[in-house]
Amino acid sequence: MDKTILVVEDDRLLAENIQNYLQRRDYEAVICDSAERALELLNTTRPDIVLTDNSLPGMSGIELIRKLQASAPNLKTIMMTGYGNIENAVEAMQAGAFHYLTKPIALSELKVLMEKAFGTLKLEQKLSFYQKREAENAGFETLVGGSPAMLALKDRITRILAAESLMKNTDLPVVLIEGETGTGKELVARALHFEGARRDNPFVEINCAAIPPQLLEAELFGHEKGAFTDAKERRLGLVETADGGTLFLDEVGELDMAMQAKLLKLLEDRSVRRVGSAKERKVDVRIISATNCDLEQMVRQGRFRKDLFFRLRIISLKVPSLRDRGADVLLLARYFLDLHGKRYGKPNLQFSRDAEDLIASYSWPGNVRELKNMLEQAALLAPDQIVSVAQLSVCPSLATTYARRIGDLENTRFTRQTDNSEEVSGASCGKDKVLGALERTDWNVTKSARMLGITRDMLRYKIEKMGLVRPERHS
């Protein structure tokens, strides 16, 4: 940061004294004697802070502050006003000034105020950097895949965003994202936020399962000083922090009944009450929630409020499991291998043919998260450019019954990392078996997949890979 200060003061002696003082402390200080001249200097000097007197020839200091707020809202302005003229100071703060100083100027106060202003600027720039970086990695490009299931999800998100862009206000509907663990529900939530109308405002997330119930209320709604033993100062909750933006409630199915009631009140009243406070505070926040639970079943069991369930799913999105995404598995695998390979200085990693067979046939009970994490280990430990079956640490024992059939591995054997280095052999689902199932069902893919114990997308992948073609019928 260059630390440039523009001093607007028509008293030449005072202006030069301030300039000399600031320059001795390694600030770059430029002086001028009118607000009009200050506006002309903005593009050439590009100041970080404007220190201005109020009583200037022509335009007043307060008028200057208003113009600066409109044209350069990130610029910090400080008003210098006569002793006892507190009305001008108040008006300047209302106009958007960062702070004010009373004349005669105490240089020690000026030093403290400059340090505070530049500290605030540095923090804001850092937050802006992280927000921009977060936005760059949170759009549609993060939803990798071209399978029918993913294309349908992307199309639904696109239609939601298009409808929201036509809304006259920013009171966006609540969204519930459902899907198994590791499918990428958070990526969907981020895409909805950073591609939508609230993209420039906060995206705040909280994992409802990660915080004990007795602490979750204070985390969400904040607390007043003295509300409980460790409440030594007032603290804003995440709901107020997300004001103007989006609050993402991950694992919403883990909320206890008491917190469910408080969340319902937030959704209905758009207000919060900090712990230890009697005052309601209005908030403008968009709620997106996610769960890997079957909320409908939980409602039937009395473990989740029916009114909250219907309030959360005004719009519902289902993120497909990785085993239902067909060729996306290999697409993602190559993407993650390239990503991790570059990270560990191995930019040309490739899978062996048998490794690709295993990746395409395995059921991925941990979904995309399991795939990504497994391939980080594979990239890290790869002895050469070819990643083989032996380097893929899959967990077939965690798969569901129908998914444990580890596809078309033929006679390939792969090693599951256990304490005794036990070898596990994949169940055969070769060409003859696939062709037999298709012939018995008259090439009905759904029935054949059910017979083989695999998904339709997996069967389609095998048909294409094996080069199987339905024979022509002769009349």
Side-chain angles (χ1 to χ4, degrees):
M1 187 182 294
D2 292 334
K3 295 187 176 182
T4 302
I5 302 164
L6 176 59
V7 181
V8 189
E9 172 59 67
D10 61 337
D11 183 333
R12 187 74 182 180
L13 181 60
L14 175 58
E16 290 178 350
N17 285 339
I18 293 174
Q19 182 183 42
N20 291 334
Y21 177 80
L22 292 173
Q23 288 176 342
R24 287 199 301 271
R25 279 150 185 81
D26 297 324
Y27 294 113
E28 182 179 346
V30 178
I31 61 174
C32 66
D33 59 4
S34 71
E36 290 80 3
R37 179 57 180 158
L39 292 172
E40 292 174 2
L41 289 171
L42 279 183
N43 291 329
T44 55
T45 61
R46 297 188 180 278
D48 301 296
I49 296 173
V50 173
L51 177 64
T52 180
D53 188 17
N54 185 41
S55 300
L56 296 169
M59 186 188 303
S60 71
I62 291 175
E63 289 178 281
L64 173 62
I65 290 172
R66 290 197 179 100
K67 285 187 175 292
L68 292 175
Q69 279 294 300
S71 61
N74 295 327
L75 188 63
K76 299 300 177 192
T77 55
I78 297 173
M79 169 67 76
M80 295 183 290
T81 184
Y83 178 76
N85 198 354
I86 197 65
E87 293 83 2
N88 284 344
V90 172
E91 190 177 356
M93 298 295 284
Q94 291 174 339
F98 175 74
H99 220 296
Y100 67 92
L101 286 168
T102 57
K103 292 182 176 180
I105 301 296
L107 295 179
S108 58
E109 290 183 19
L110 176 62
K111 177 178 179 293
V112 170
L113 194 50
M114 288 297 145
E115 290 174 351
K116 182 178 180 181
F118 277 107
T120 302
L121 269 174
K122 185 176 181 180
L123 179 60
E124 288 177 353
Q125 289 175 358
K126 185 181 293 186
L127 289 173
S128 176
F129 166 77
Y130 284 119
Q131 188 171 12
K132 287 179 181 177
R133 189 177 71 173
E134 191 175 34
E136 289 172 357
N137 299 312
F140 270 113
E141 65 276 4
T142 63
L143 303 177
V144 178
S147 64
M150 280 304 292
L151 291 177
L153 176 63
K154 291 178 184 180
D155 177 67
R156 191 171 175 84
I157 294 172
T158 300
R159 285 187 283 119
I160 290 170
L161 292 171
E164 291 177 354
S165 68
L166 300 176
M167 294 176 64
K168 294 181 179 180
N169 56 52
T170 58
D171 186 16
L172 304 180
V174 179
V175 179
L176 175 64
I177 305 170
E178 299 174 281
E180 295 179 9
T181 296
T183 51
K185 298 185 290 296
E186 181 187 340
L187 294 180
V188 174
R190 288 178 176 274
L192 283 169
H193 173 80
F194 287 104
E195 298 284 352
R198 296 182 175 233
R199 65 178 67 87
D200 296 325
N201 295 317
F203 178 87
V204 178
E205 62 178 296
I206 181 171
N207 188 317
C208 300
I211 300 175
Q214 62 271 22
L215 300 179
L216 188 56
E217 181 180 2
E219 192 73 19
L220 277 174
F221 303 123
H223 59 76
E224 297 291 343
K225 182 178 180 180
F228 45 85
T229 304
D230 294 327
K232 296 179 180 179
E233 58 184 17
R234 186 181 68 179
R235 180 182 174 187
L236 293 182
L238 295 181
V239 177
E240 288 185 86
T241 303
D243 194 23
T246 299
L247 177 67
F248 175 51
L249 301 173
D250 199 8
E251 305 296 352
V252 72
E254 301 297 327
L255 292 177
D256 63 19
M257 298 302 285
M259 278 305 303
Q260 289 178 33
K262 290 180 171 63
L263 177 57
L264 179 63
K265 187 177 186 304
L266 169 63
L267 289 167
E268 291 179 342
D269 298 345
R270 300 289 175 173
S271 64
V272 296
R273 180 187 296 173
R274 297 177 194 151
V275 177
S277 173
K279 183 179 179 181
E280 296 279 349
R281 291 171 173 81
K282 288 290 182 182
V283 289
D284 172 24
V285 63
R286 198 251 183 99
I287 303 289
I288 298 178
S289 58
T291 182
N292 61 3
C293 301
D294 186 342
L295 291 187
E296 290 186 48
Q297 183 178 0
M298 292 178 66
V299 169
R300 290 194 296 270
Q301 296 171 345
R303 295 163 49 210
F304 201 86
R305 294 180 63 115
K306 183 187 294 185
D307 47 5
L308 178 58
F309 172 68
F310 289 118
R311 200 69 181 76
L312 287 174
R313 69 187 300 270
I314 293 176
I315 294 177
S316 62
L317 293 169
K318 292 186 181 295
V319 184
S321 60
L322 189 54
R323 61 180 169 274
D324 292 328
R325 292 177 55 178
D328 281 356
V329 179
L330 282 175
L331 179 68
L332 284 164
R334 293 176 186 131
Y335 170 78
F336 288 135
L337 187 66
D338 181 65
L339 182 73
H340 293 314
K342 290 176 179 177
R343 179 183 175 191
Y344 291 111
K346 303 174 182 180
N348 299 311
L349 292 178
Q350 297 180 10
F351 293 111
S352 69
R353 184 172 179 177
D354 289 340
E356 290 198 345
D357 285 344
L358 172 57
I359 290 168
S361 302
Y362 178 55
S363 66
W364 299 107
N367 291 291
V368 180
R369 182 184 295 123
E370 180 188 3
L371 174 65
K372 180 180 180 181
N373 293 343
M374 184 202 71
L375 291 179
E376 180 169 4
Q377 175 179 295
L380 176 65
L381 300 178
D384 50 47
Q385 291 186 353
I386 303 300
V387 175
S388 65
V389 168
Q391 294 165 284
L392 302 181
S393 302
V394 295
C395 304
S397 63
L398 297 179
T400 54
T401 302
Y402 79 89
R404 285 180 187 154
R405 303 173 186 263
I406 312 294
D408 183 23
L409 296 181
E410 303 294 347
N411 297 320
T412 302
R413 298 177 65 84
F414 60 94
T415 302
R416 176 165 55 92
Q417 302 300 319
T418 59
D419 291 339
N420 57 4
S421 300
E422 176 187 4
E423 283 195 335
V424 182
S425 176
S428 175
C429 191
K431 183 174 182 179
D432 292 341
K433 191 171 182 178
V434 170
L435 188 58
L438 290 168
E439 289 175 346
R440 285 196 296 274
T441 61
D442 193 24
W443 282 75
N444 184 306
V445 175
T446 301
K447 291 181 180 178
S448 299
R450 190 180 301 120
M451 183 181 296
L452 293 168
I454 59 179
T455 66
R456 288 178 299 171
D457 285 335
M458 190 182 295
L459 179 56
R460 291 192 188 98
Y461 167 78
K462 289 180 178 298
I463 291 171
E464 182 181 351
K465 177 178 178 297
M466 296 173 179
L468 300 179
V469 180
R470 180 174 184 170
E472 295 183 4
R473 295 181 178 180
H474 300 284
S475 56

